[in-house]
Amino acid sequence: MEDSPLHSSHVHKLLLVTNRVHMLLHSTALCFMFYYRFSFLFQPPHTTESLLFPWLLVFASEIILSFIWILGRAYRWRPVSRTVFPERLPEDHKLPAVDVFICTADHTKEPTFEVMNTVLSAMALDYPPEKLNVYLSDDGGSSVTLHAMRETSNFARLWIPFCTRYRIKSRCPKAFFSSSDDDESDFVRSSLYVEDKKQIEEKYEVFKEKIVSFRDNMAIPRDDPTINVQDHPPCIEVMEGNIFDDADNGKIPRLVYVSREKRPSHPHHFKAGALNVLLRVSAVISNSPYILVLDCDMFCNDPSSARYAMCFHLDPKISSSLAFVQFPQKFYNVSKNDIYDSQLRSIFTLQWRGMDGLKGPVMSGTGFYIKRVSLCGNLNIKGTDLTQLKEYFGSSNEFIKSLTQNYTSDSASGGNALLEGETHLLASCEYEISTKWGQEVGFLYDSVVEDYLTGFILHCNGWTSVFCEPSRTQFLGSATTNLNDVLIQGTRWYSGLFENGINKYCSLIYGTGPSRMPVLQRLCFAELTYFPLYCFPLWCFATIPQLCLLHGIPLYPKVGDPFFIIFVFIFVSALLNHLEEVLITGGTLHKWMNEQRIWMMKSITCHLYGCLDALLKKVGIREANFLPTNKVADDEQTQLYQMDKYDFRASSIFIAPMLAVITINICCFLGGVYRAVFVGSWDKMFVQFFIAGFIITVNYPIIEGLVIRKDKGRISKLLAICVIIATMILLGCFTLLSSV
């Protein structure tokens, strides 16, 4: 048994062959397309003068699309899947300890009771409780959250033994009690189980009421500095676990509340700063060699994830270079057709599997088990003197000591001096000054997408990662289910990603060398950073061919021209490849259409705004900012989402571009038809007719939201009138200028 592998990997050979054949055919067609475009430049000037500018814009768009397509082929080069054998792990007393980091920032947008459910699910992991420590970072410094943590510690003394006794799989209380299925328990027909479940549910309702009533009834002066989100002292409270009176003589993990110091005069670096404080504070309390990072709304749906992760971390063949094990993000509130693509199907069913066949996936912000030592940079700790260590890690002697030894489960019980001294020092806003924190140590600060950048640098430093996707979903979160939040969240992500593509961390040039990341791995990271560039070709293809159609200017070969087949092949090839990937990952034709639609919507809105935001930050006009995604459920919005109806009650900066694009395409399509009827040239303008018709068809819900729908999620009439009139005026001006 000792020689048996803890995991195995399987290369999807059929998919590998299919992908590579498609790459060959599609890239060959792209070469012919580029030949057609280049040949235009060598035609006589008098035949190209009126076409040159729109031709060059379309050509530039085709180059950008081809560039992103080539980068994305790296994901499809060697897709793999993995199987784990947790039953082959060593005995519990030989397993390494695990610290769980959970971050929350705003209890008004991230409901406290939901956060506590995540905390309870982490505390109830199927792992030795004396080797499990759960830390919650409360960046809001809220007394509501602290009170809820104390109540959670008390309720955990009932909840964890119940889960252990009956081998419950769904260990998030809210998910367990809201489910109608009890068949996951082997004791479902036991009268004792039914009685215990009823009692624990009653206790759960009392627990919920205590949290909700405290939030509703607290009376704290508004000018109290301790509740200023951006200006409050550190607060750390250890809620000791391990001992309680129970018939099972069970134990619970240690629970720790951490609210770092925040001052307006000091940068706090958003989530990365909060994680680094947890990294330091946990080092002098538990110092577990492995860390699970969770978002506050991403609860543990299965208790086995820690054991699954250890199947990789404890494998002697890969453990020396393995930095983290990434689990997929999945969501419990996603509808069947997922009109906003909130489940990020492509990332977790395609891209991360593809990267796993290379050197491992990108760090994805939540649901990963990372080796603590991998976050200490490349400094050789054992061979470095104390002065240099303090230059890297700060002035805390206790933290420096933790770098070379593991603390026991009782290491923090030596008195209040340690808690009041070292932990508060480590959580202070001045601790990182003149150190390497956020630069070479811990989670990195140079991007608002700290997960991407930290994972990228780890790979550059020689670390690897793996992607683990068991049959039962390990972590479940709450996805955004309204258009406004989806686009705001997307703007933040794409700004951070594109920022990494235009700074020193550009994966195509950063740290190149023989011992660095393989080329294919670099292409995967590059595709993520340059994905927002879709905004340029999408805006171009949504306007330029249509305006030229209105004035009879052909930009594509006519029907019957040999090159017409090339353009048709490229278009059909791309669509069918996407459709194949949707279908083989369990999607439907409807889901495929929704992904096409939301891709267009995002490209002309949050892709564009993300790129502009990154460019403004690059030149110093804007500072980095981070707004937590709103996780408060809205019944009306949820109902629209479940009915596959878009909620157009979004910001005008998102809706206006959509209305402008659909107006341009409808007007130019109708004008093109009128022109073709009286002038002819259907064959020369066919591709441009098709592009306009395709955009109108895919974006039909916008027309529906403007003309047909009467519910509250329809498009504002006032906004629509203003945008349509402005667009018509611009079209009129363009027509006059073109005729001069």
Side-chain angles (χ1 to χ4, degrees):
M1 182 67 69
E2 291 182 0
D3 296 330
S4 300
L6 294 172
H7 65 92
S8 64
S9 62
H10 171 68
V11 179
H12 299 277
K13 294 184 178 179
L14 179 61
L15 186 59
L16 180 150
V17 172
T18 303
N19 287 343
R20 295 185 183 183
V21 169
H22 175 257
M23 292 177 204
L24 176 63
L25 296 176
H26 195 90
S27 57
T28 301
L30 290 179
C31 290
F32 280 108
M33 181 191 72
F34 289 141
Y35 172 80
Y36 174 79
R37 291 299 186 195
F38 276 119
S39 64
F40 171 82
L41 302 176
F42 297 97
Q43 294 181 12
H46 68 276
T47 63
T48 64
E49 183 176 352
S50 62
L51 298 175
L52 184 59
F53 184 66
W55 190 282
L56 289 177
L57 285 176
V58 170
F59 189 21
S61 299
E62 291 166 346
I63 291 173
I64 293 174
L65 284 178
S66 301
F67 171 67
I68 299 175
W69 180 85
I70 291 170
L71 295 178
R73 295 312 96 189
Y75 296 120
R76 297 156 176 84
W77 188 253
R78 190 176 178 270
V80 302
S81 60
R82 298 183 183 271
T83 304
V84 293
F85 308 105
E87 66 276 6
R88 299 175 182 174
L89 285 170
E91 297 175 354
D92 283 2
H93 70 274
K94 295 181 180 179
L95 291 174
V98 173
D99 289 342
V100 182
F101 291 175
I102 302 171
C103 295
T104 184
D106 186 342
H107 72 89
T108 61
K109 291 187 176 181
E110 299 163 338
T112 305
F113 185 66
E114 308 290 337
V115 177
M116 294 307 112
N117 270 271
T118 300
V119 171
L120 284 165
S121 71
M123 295 179 72
L125 284 172
D126 178 20
Y127 208 71
E130 68 275 8
K131 296 188 176 184
L132 191 61
N133 306 274
V134 179
Y135 295 80
L136 177 73
S137 170
D138 175 22
D139 252 11
S142 169
S143 58
V144 174
T145 307
L146 177 57
H147 172 78
M149 284 284 281
R150 293 168 181 157
E151 294 295 340
T152 298
S153 179
N154 293 329
F155 180 70
R157 299 173 185 273
L158 303 172
W159 174 247
I160 295 174
F162 172 78
C163 292
T164 304
R165 187 183 310 128
Y166 296 110
R167 296 194 287 272
I168 303 298
K169 292 182 180 179
S170 181
R171 298 194 177 184
C172 171
K174 180 182 178 181
F176 176 75
F177 291 122
S178 62
S179 173
S180 58
D181 292 331
D182 280 337
D183 57 1
E184 66 170 25
S185 174
D186 299 332
F187 302 90
V188 64
R189 292 182 175 85
S190 165
S191 59
L192 182 61
Y193 166 76
V194 174
E195 183 180 349
D196 280 358
K197 180 185 177 183
K198 182 179 180 181
Q199 290 180 359
I200 199 71
E201 187 169 8
E202 291 173 354
K203 298 290 186 180
Y204 175 70
E205 292 300 324
V206 173
F207 162 65
K208 178 180 179 180
E209 178 60 28
K210 287 181 178 179
I211 293 176
V212 174
S213 61
F214 182 85
R215 180 199 64 193
D216 295 341
N217 299 330
M218 70 174 186
I220 299 177
R222 293 181 178 272
D223 59 350
D224 188 337
T226 61
I227 61 169
N228 188 321
V229 174
Q230 300 300 329
D231 189 2
H232 57 79
C235 176
I236 299 170
E237 184 170 322
V238 177
M239 297 153 195
E240 290 291 350
N242 295 336
I243 300 174
F244 62 93
D245 295 328
D246 181 78
D248 298 315
N249 192 26
K251 298 180 178 180
I252 66 170
R254 178 188 287 118
L255 185 60
V256 185
Y257 171 86
V258 178
S259 178
R260 59 177 170 149
E261 180 184 19
K262 294 177 76 174
R263 303 298 181 194
S265 57
H266 292 76
H268 55 84
H269 304 296
F270 314 115
K271 183 181 177 181
L275 287 172
N276 283 339
V277 169
L278 290 181
L279 196 61
R280 295 193 295 270
V281 170
S282 66
V284 299
I285 294 179
S286 53
N287 200 32
S288 300
Y290 298 98
I291 296 166
L292 165 62
V293 177
L294 288 177
D295 281 347
C296 63
D297 67 318
M298 185 69 65
F299 65 82
C300 302
N301 185 59
D302 186 274
S304 307
S305 63
R307 295 183 183 271
Y308 290 165
M310 291 307 136
C311 289
F312 299 101
H313 278 303
L314 299 184
D315 185 341
K317 295 181 180 178
I318 65 172
S319 61
S320 61
S321 63
L322 180 62
F324 61 92
V325 177
Q326 178 69 60
F327 289 84
Q329 293 182 31
K330 295 189 177 181
F331 307 97
Y332 61 83
N333 60 336
V334 172
S335 66
K336 178 182 178 181
N337 293 310
D338 189 18
I339 56 175
Y340 301 126
D341 191 28
S342 297
Q343 66 179 339
L344 306 173
R345 179 205 60 82
S346 178
I347 289 179
F348 294 111
T349 61
L350 171 68
Q351 294 175 214
W352 273 211
R353 285 182 184 176
M355 294 187 77
D356 199 18
L358 303 173
K359 289 292 184 178
V362 175
M363 187 185 292
S364 306
T366 182
F368 61 90
Y369 285 83
I370 189 167
K371 188 180 297 180
R372 183 183 289 268
V373 70
S374 70
L375 295 169
C376 292
N378 282 331
L379 191 67
N380 184 4
I381 296 169
K382 292 184 179 180
T384 308
D385 61 51
L386 183 61
T387 302
Q388 190 173 0
L389 286 173
K390 289 190 174 183
E391 289 177 357
Y392 264 75
F393 300 106
S395 60
S396 172
N397 290 326
E398 289 295 329
F399 181 79
I400 298 297
K401 188 192 302 182
S402 74
L403 297 173
T404 56
Q405 67 182 44
N406 288 335
Y407 277 59
T408 67
S409 60
D410 297 322
S411 60
S413 58
N416 293 328
L418 177 62
L419 282 181
E420 296 298 329
E422 292 300 321
T423 56
H424 283 73
L425 170 66
L426 292 166
S428 67
C429 58
E430 294 184 350
Y431 183 81
E432 296 181 355
I433 296 175
S434 300
T435 68
K436 299 296 183 180
W437 283 99
Q439 303 168 45
E440 299 179 33
V441 177
F443 294 87
L444 305 185
Y445 294 157
D446 286 342
S447 173
V448 294
V449 284
E450 76 294 325
D451 48 354
Y452 167 89
L453 182 57
T454 303
F456 171 67
I457 295 301
L458 286 174
H459 280 89
C460 286
N461 290 339
W463 292 97
T464 61
S465 60
V466 297
F467 183 62
C468 182
E469 188 175 15
S471 56
R472 179 178 170 91
T473 300
Q474 296 298 296
F475 303 101
L476 276 175
S478 173
T480 48
T481 56
N482 69 83
L483 186 61
N484 191 62
D485 286 349
V486 166
L487 297 180
I488 289 175
Q489 184 183 64
T491 301
R492 184 179 75 236
W493 285 350
Y494 298 128
S495 172
L497 288 171
F498 187 61
E499 187 179 17
N500 286 291
I502 58 176
N503 63 18
K504 66 178 181 179
Y505 297 113
C506 170
S507 62
L508 297 178
I509 59 174
Y510 180 82
T512 54
S515 62
R516 301 296 186 174
M517 261 195 296
V519 172
L520 289 176
Q521 189 82 354
R522 289 182 175 279
L523 296 183
C524 292
F525 277 97
E527 196 270 350
L528 288 171
T529 61
Y530 295 122
F531 191 84
L533 285 178
Y534 271 124
C535 64
F536 178 79
L538 259 291
W539 266 108
C540 179
F541 287 129
T543 55
I544 302 302
Q546 292 79 347
L547 294 174
C548 291
L549 171 65
L550 191 62
H551 296 88
I553 303 174
L555 297 177
Y556 297 91
K558 65 180 181 180
V559 178
D561 189 308
F563 283 100
F564 174 80
I565 303 299
I566 297 298
F567 281 88
V568 171
F569 176 84
I570 291 172
F571 179 79
V572 173
S573 168
L575 288 186
L576 289 181
N577 180 238
H578 180 214
L579 177 60
E580 175 206 17
E581 291 174 350
V582 171
L583 295 178
I584 65 175
T585 53
T588 62
L589 188 65
H590 195 174
K591 179 71 174 70
W592 168 77
M593 178 60 75
N594 286 335
E595 287 192 15
Q596 289 285 324
R597 181 176 298 125
I598 197 64
W599 170 63
M600 290 187 185
M601 290 181 176
K602 287 182 176 180
S603 293
I604 62 173
T605 55
C606 58
H607 286 184
L608 174 63
Y609 299 140
C611 287
L612 292 176
D613 188 65
L615 290 171
L616 291 175
K617 284 186 283 189
K618 178 70 174 177
V619 299
I621 297 177
R622 275 179 58 84
E623 293 184 358
N625 62 84
F626 179 89
L627 292 174
T629 304
N630 186 17
K631 297 299 181 181
V632 179
D634 182 298
D635 292 340
E636 191 175 40
Q637 291 177 339
T638 301
Q639 185 178 9
L640 288 172
Y641 172 72
Q642 294 297 335
M643 294 169 59
D644 287 346
K645 290 185 178 294
Y646 290 83
D647 188 349
F648 290 109
R649 290 173 293 178
S651 171
S652 299
I653 65 170
F654 296 132
I655 301 300
M658 299 180 196
L659 289 172
V661 164
I662 204 72
T663 301
I664 290 172
N665 278 266
I666 291 175
C667 291
C668 292
F669 183 84
L670 295 176
V673 169
Y674 176 83
R675 184 182 182 88
V677 168
F678 291 97
V679 180
S681 70
W682 282 95
D683 57 341
K684 292 182 179 180
M685 310 304 295
F686 177 81
V687 174
Q688 286 154 257
F689 272 117
F690 180 82
I691 292 174
F694 182 76
I695 290 175
I696 294 170
T697 302
V698 170
N699 291 284
Y700 170 76
I702 298 176
I703 301 174
E704 181 186 47
L706 179 62
V707 179
I708 301 175
R709 286 172 54 183
K710 303 299 181 183
D711 56 78
K712 292 183 178 180
R714 67 185 183 275
I715 295 175
S716 164
K717 298 293 185 183
L718 178 61
L719 174 63
I721 292 171
C722 293
V723 173
I724 292 172
I725 291 176
T727 304
M728 297 288 287
I729 291 173
L730 289 175
L731 281 174
C733 293
F734 176 80
T735 302
L736 291 175
L737 291 173
S738 301
S739 61
V740 174

